[in-house]
Each structure stands twice: as C-alpha cells, then as structure tokens.
Amino acid sequence: MQVSPPARQPWPAVALGAVGPAANLDTNCVADHRAGVDYFPQKTAFSHSAQLQVSYGAHFKRVRFTPTVATGEVLEFLLVQCGTPVPAHGPHVPVIQVPIQRLVTGNSAMLGALDELGLVDRLFGAESTRSVTVPSVRRRIEQGLVHDMWGYGHASIEPVMAVQPDVYLTFYSAYPQGNMHPRLWELGVRAIPQADHHELHPLGRAEWLKLLALLTNREARGNALFDGIVARYEHWKAIAAQARFRPRVMSGFAAGRDTVETFGGRNQRARLIHDAGGEYVLADDHRAGSLVFEPFERVYAKGADAPVWLGTLGGRADRQQLVAANALHGWFSATRTGRVYAWDRGYTGAWAHPHQDQSMSRPDVLLAEAISVLHPPLMPPPASLQFLRQLP
C-alpha cells in the first residue's frame, strides 16, 4: 500500500506585542516572540491521572509520562509554541511544535475525545479505519482523509512515516519489547505513548483528553469538558453509595481450557465496579493490570455464585453463543440466571463498537449504566444504553 503525505500549509503567524494573547493560539504561530510574555494564558493540570504531569514556561510546556506498569522508563516531551525559540532540553527529549496540525493514532480510544474537542479535522491516520464508530471520524474516513495504519503493534512503521504526522499516539504496552516509540524516535517520528488503559481510576483515564488539549493549545476546552465529566461521575457515585448491599460481580471471560482473562483488583474497571456499588470478585488482588490471566479454578471459586457478570466476551449475540465459545462460561450462576452483560452495544465486527473508541472520555456514562444493572431501584435502566448490553 502506498501512502502519500497530505498537503500541509503552515499556521499563519500573528504579531501579539508585549501584551501577549488573550487566549491560547490554537490555529496560529507567533510572529514577534518576546521574552517573558505568557503565550499560554489558559493552562491545565492533571488531578486524577496517575501517569501524566505538565509544567508551563512562558512559551513551552513540559509533559512528563510515568507509567504505572513496571517498564522502567520515565518520558518527557517538550511542547513549544510555534514561532518561539526552543528552550534547553535533554538530548533524548522529543520537541513538538504546538498547536499540532497532523495527528495519527495507534490506539482508537482517543477518537471520541478528539471529536469532543473539535479536533477531528487534524486526524490523518488511525490504527484501523474499519473499526471506527465515531460519526465525525467515519465521515472523514469516507472522504479519504484518514489513512489506515494497521499492522504489528497497532500500526506499521512505514505508513506512519509516510503520513508525516506532527504526533503519533502509539499504544503503550506493559511489555517493553512490544512498544514502538523508541524505534519511531530514531526514525524522526514524534511518537507519544498512549497509556490511558493503565490508569488506576476511570477519571484518570478520561483525563488523557487533556493530552490532546495540550498538543493543540485547547486547554480551556479540555478543562471544561473534563470538569463536566468529573461532576457527573461524582453525582452517580453518590447515588450508588446509597445502596444497602453490594452484589458480588464477576468480570472477564474464559480464555482457553484453564484460564480467565480479566483484570486486577486495583485496575480502573475494578474501581468502576466499586463506585457503582458492586464488589468485584477479585477485589483482593492487588495488581493494577488491565490484562490478567488467572487460573480458572481461582476465578470460579470466587465468582461461581456472583449474581452479576459485568463485562464478558464481546461480539456474542446471546448466552448460548457465549457458552458455545467456551463451555466454562456456563459454569457460572450469572449465566444461568441471565444477568450477563457485555460492553459491546453497537458491535459490528472485530473490535468495532462504541465502547472501544468512545468510552475513554465517558466514564460517567459507564458508571450510570453499571449502577442501573447493579441497583435498579436507585437508577432504573434507561430506555437505551450507550455501551452496555445484556445477553439474552
């Protein structure tokens, strides 16, 4: 497949004088840089993410990424307002001119936030154009403006290089040998690892939308969007706290003959179950991993009688198909009583459903839907759910 780089026009440069801009420049460069002028009057900070930090200079931002998984690296990125000088930095610190014009993502989780921030017109590549569900992104794909990056490790290096992105958001694996960003840096691609899936709290995951805001100087919009998410999440959490009992909740699915693919008790999905008024059957597991393979016997001993199964294998039309996929699914009480749910509403095939590319910035919706399943008297199920589906 041949990919030609899309045409590019530089941002217009504007003269701002000694006063500086009244708002961050999201479509302009600086024509008359002056030392000491604050070119980012609208700032942000990370309050819930366990992995991201940002500090501001007058015309630059330093973003630090400290993964929660034990890969042994701490990364820093220098974001410099275009039209201003690059400050001193370490030899291995990638420098990115902001606001960026051209983004490629190797992890579809950011696509919903991209739409909510009004930045879809800056997307030029995605890990798979076939599995996107965000309407505005789908329209851009149909116009031929988004290139398919699919390949090993959520993207192929050659198409990423061909599109010539200002930033490539690369999927961050807990296994260092699976990460592409070191090689991409060597090839001149400004790759930033995306690790929202390694956050410890659903709100920490949602706060990754602020990374997009930082790259495009849209901090004010990012702050407003995130503050609304937090307010709604805390509202639903307070309602769930009124529950008189906490039902035990099974999650994950049988993988092969003797293991269950699930997540640790400190993972963000376990926190979502807790905040929804449930008790995750592996809550005593102190791992934060988003992908944990547990011996089937251990999970069965803890979850066999759990009344609710919240989050199972997606893409199965009903419980009969779920059991056909692996007979071990039929051993659990929730399967027999019909209280099995998957986060796959709107599924159209291999990884294509709204939860995959829209749920990152909507933990409040995920929480509300979970509460409606665990505590219907407190929150009756809405007429239509956005992400959650009960298997008939």
Side-chain angles (χ1 to χ4, degrees), residues 345-385:
R345 183 168 291 275
Y347 185 88
T348 58
W351 301 104
H353 50 86
H355 185 270
Q356 187 71 14
D357 58 7
Q358 298 184 45
S359 69
M360 186 198 83
S361 56
R362 298 178 184 175
D364 51 319
V365 176
L366 297 176
L367 182 62
E369 294 186 358
I371 297 170
S372 73
V373 165
L374 299 180
H375 300 289
L378 292 176
M379 182 181 295
S384 62
L385 297 174

Side-chain angles (χ1 to χ4, degrees), residues 51-136:
Q51 303 180 104
L52 292 173
Q53 294 177 304
V54 62
S55 60
Y56 284 82
H59 64 282
F60 61 88
K61 319 168 196 181
R62 296 188 189 274
V63 176
R64 180 178 290 256
F65 167 58
T66 308
T68 57
V69 290
T71 55
E73 64 177 346
V74 177
L75 304 178
E76 183 176 295
F77 303 89
L78 184 62
L79 314 185
V80 181
Q81 170 63 50
C82 61
T84 68
V86 176
H89 60 282
H92 302 296
V93 176
V95 177
I96 299 166
Q97 299 286 323
V98 295
I100 65 168
Q101 289 186 325
R102 187 175 295 178
L103 178 75
V104 170
T105 175
N107 185 348
S108 62
M110 280 283 202
L111 296 181
L114 204 68
D115 173 74
E116 291 163 1
L117 286 165
L119 295 170
V120 170
D121 62 339
R122 304 192 192 187
L123 181 69
F124 285 86
E127 61 165 310
S128 172
T129 57
R130 301 175 296 281
S131 61
V132 173
T133 72
V134 181
S136 60

Side-chain angles (χ1 to χ4, degrees), residues 19-345:
V19 177
N24 293 3
L25 304 176
D26 64 356
T27 57
N28 292 101
C29 292
V30 175
D32 58 341
H33 171 254
R34 301 190 184 194
V37 172
D38 186 357
Y39 290 98
F40 303 117
Q42 298 162 320
K43 298 176 174 59
T44 193
F46 291 97
S47 56
H48 288 75
S49 172
Q51 303 180 104
L52 292 173
Q53 294 177 304
V54 62
S55 60
Y56 284 82
H59 64 282
F60 61 88
K61 319 168 196 181
R62 296 188 189 274
V63 176
R64 180 178 290 256
F65 167 58
T66 308
T68 57
V69 290
T71 55
E73 64 177 346
V74 177
L75 304 178
E76 183 176 295
F77 303 89
L78 184 62
L79 314 185
V80 181
Q81 170 63 50
C82 61
T84 68
V86 176
H89 60 282
H92 302 296
V93 176
V95 177
I96 299 166
Q97 299 286 323
V98 295
I100 65 168
Q101 289 186 325
R102 187 175 295 178
L103 178 75
V104 170
T105 175
N107 185 348
S108 62
M110 280 283 202
L111 296 181
L114 204 68
D115 173 74
E116 291 163 1
L117 286 165
L119 295 170
V120 170
D121 62 339
R122 304 192 192 187
L123 181 69
F124 285 86
E127 61 165 310
S128 172
T129 57
R130 301 175 296 281
S131 61
V132 173
T133 72
V134 181
S136 60
V137 178
R138 283 241 49 89
R139 289 192 295 271
R140 187 166 173 81
I141 291 170
E142 291 163 4
Q143 294 167 1
L145 299 173
V146 180
H147 295 279
D148 198 308
M149 299 289 111
W150 186 255
Y152 175 76
H154 291 254
S156 294
I157 288 178
E158 292 82 1
V160 172
M161 294 177 64
V163 174
Q164 299 179 4
D166 296 324
V167 167
Y168 170 58
L169 295 176
T170 176
F171 179 84
Y172 193 77
S173 173
Y175 305 97
Q177 65 272 24
N179 284 321
M180 294 174 60
H181 59 276
R183 182 59 178 153
L184 287 167
W185 292 345
E186 293 176 0
L187 297 170
V189 177
R190 295 173 182 84
I192 296 181
Q194 182 182 333
D196 60 283
H197 50 292
H198 291 312
E199 289 291 343
L200 308 180
H201 194 289
L203 290 175
R205 183 184 183 220
E207 201 166 22
W208 277 72
L209 67 87
K210 290 184 180 179
L211 177 60
L212 292 176
L214 284 164
L215 291 169
T216 55
N217 288 351
R218 293 199 175 179
E219 282 93 330
R221 189 161 179 173
N223 289 342
L225 181 60
F226 184 70
D227 289 347
I229 293 168
V230 172
R232 292 188 296 273
Y233 189 96
E234 295 297 339
H235 171 73
W236 299 130
K237 178 182 173 182
I239 288 178
Q242 301 172 19
R244 296 182 179 180
F245 69 100
R246 302 178 68 88
R248 296 172 62 249
V249 178
M250 169 67 184
S251 194
F253 58 89
R257 296 189 300 173
D258 56 2
T259 59
V260 173
E261 182 177 320
T262 185
F263 46 87
R266 292 181 60 239
N267 183 261
Q268 58 184 269
R269 287 176 286 177
R271 182 57 182 262
L272 184 80
I273 290 171
H274 177 273
D275 289 349
E279 181 183 343
Y280 179 42
V281 296
L282 297 181
D284 60 350
D285 184 307
H286 297 298
R287 289 172 292 180
S290 59
L291 185 64
V292 171
F293 290 94
E294 280 291 288
F296 175 78
E297 292 81 0
R298 179 171 184 260
V299 178
Y300 182 71
K302 290 179 173 291
D305 297 327
V308 180
W309 193 330
L310 187 61
T312 188
L313 185 64
R316 300 302 183 269
D318 51 32
R319 285 174 287 147
Q320 184 176 352
Q321 284 193 10
L322 182 68
V323 174
N326 193 312
L328 296 177
H329 293 138
W331 290 29
F332 292 86
S333 174
T335 306
R336 296 191 296 272
T337 60
R339 299 190 68 188
V340 180
Y341 301 83
W343 296 102
D344 70 348
R345 183 168 291 275

